[in-house]
Amino acid sequence: MKKALPYISIISIAAFAGNMINIGLSYGIHWQSLDPFAFMESFKVDFPLLLGPTSATLMPAFIGTLGLVFASKDDKSARRFWLYAFIGLMLINIQTVAYHLPMNLDFMDLKYTAEEATSKLQGWIFFHWIRVVVAIVAGSFAVKAFQISNNK
């Protein structure tokens, strides 16, 4: 498992980043094209469908990378990059739970006026792309950690 864990982590981070890019370039653009109330109605259907792929990629990335932070305790250089990757994934989780999830639930409950929904969606999209960038950076750190550990 020790040899497989870096692959699981890196592939999961990449899959998560790809999933998030897909959400931004497909759903995000589609949602912005809709009337605000039609968007919120659509979001009720879309959001639960997006949870599976997002969880199926983020959780192995998060758990695998955390495991590698501990497993690489004897390799300080690699451990530092695994830690950076883990911090990036932690930031994504915090942002998702603190910002996106409450807003997602409010979209699903139709809690916003048309103007509020439009404004909230714009913020949602902006911060979604921040998650994408952080995921790509985390993936880069994971690859660097893997390279360091394999060059010794």
Side-chain angles (χ1 to χ4, degrees):
M1 183 62 167
K2 187 176 181 180
K3 293 206 178 256
L5 199 54
Y7 292 105
I8 292 168
S9 181
I10 291 168
I11 291 167
S12 297
I13 293 170
F16 173 76
N19 181 50
M20 298 305 278
I21 291 167
N22 179 54
I23 290 170
L25 292 176
S26 61
Y27 286 95
I29 291 170
H30 173 67
W31 292 331
Q32 290 174 311
S33 74
L34 298 174
D35 166 81
F37 292 109
F39 150 66
M40 289 189 286
E41 287 290 341
S42 174
F43 198 85
K44 278 193 221 183
V45 174
D46 297 338
F47 176 64
L49 296 173
L50 296 172
L51 284 177
T54 301
S55 298
T57 55
L58 183 56
M59 293 317 296
F62 186 79
I63 294 167
T65 303
L66 177 60
L68 286 159
V69 169
F70 290 109
S72 62
K73 64 181 180 237
D74 296 332
D75 186 349
K76 302 258 188 257
S77 297
R79 184 177 195 200
R80 180 172 40 120
F81 286 101
W82 285 121
L83 181 61
Y84 293 160
F86 177 75
I87 289 169
L89 295 170
M90 178 66 79
L91 290 172
I92 289 167
N93 278 307
I94 291 169
Q95 179 182 344
T96 299
V97 170
Y99 179 78
H100 285 91
L101 185 59
M103 193 179 301
N104 292 351
L105 297 174
D106 288 344
F107 285 145
M108 292 172 68
D109 288 339
L110 306 170
K111 286 193 176 180
Y112 300 121
T113 65
E115 296 78 26
E116 289 172 327
T118 300
S119 174
K120 296 280 187 183
L121 178 58
Q122 296 309 313
W124 191 102
I125 296 290
F126 175 80
F127 285 107
H128 176 78
W129 288 112
I130 300 289
R131 288 190 294 188
V132 171
V133 170
V134 173
I136 291 169
V137 170
S140 299
F141 284 134
V143 168
K144 181 68 174 169
F146 181 72
Q147 290 172 334
I148 289 170
S149 64
N150 278 344
N151 286 334
K152 292 190 177 189

